[in-house]
Amino acid sequence: MRTRHLRLAKPTVLLLVVGFVAGPISAVWLRGIGPFDTFHGLLGLLCTGLFVAVAAIGWKLEHGASRAFEAHALLATLAVLVAALAAVAGFVLLA
């Protein structure tokens, strides 16, 4: 499971960051609103920050520079929960 986690985590975080960059561009260009004028945008900012923090800790864990397994797991769980909340908050933007 660790090998699969390490293989999938990096592209997942990369795709999340690409989505984060595309979101504000879409808000301004397609909707004519400020990039972080919505609750969805603010949650996206928080979510991305959490996932980048998780990735940084994960990189240190992978390379033996840290033993913060619990912090990695806790932040990852929080990041997933915030991502779910951001997804739900984004539904109103679809109208």
Side-chain angles (χ1 to χ4, degrees), residues 3-86:
T3 302
R4 183 171 56 174
H5 177 79
L6 289 171
R7 188 180 68 238
L8 294 175
K10 293 170 184 96
T12 299
V13 172
L14 177 64
L15 288 172
L16 187 129
V17 170
V18 168
F20 172 73
V21 170
I25 293 169
S26 168
V28 171
W29 186 38
L30 297 176
R31 300 202 177 265
I33 59 175
F36 301 105
D37 285 353
T38 64
F39 186 53
H40 173 74
L42 295 174
L43 287 173
L45 183 63
L46 176 61
C47 174
T48 302
L50 286 168
F51 271 111
V52 168
V54 169
I57 294 171
W59 188 88
K60 287 183 176 188
L61 287 168
E62 181 182 7
H63 291 91
S66 174
R67 298 190 48 80
F69 298 106
E70 293 82 15
H72 180 70
L74 180 65
L75 280 177
T77 302
L78 185 58
V80 169
L81 291 173
V82 171
L85 185 57

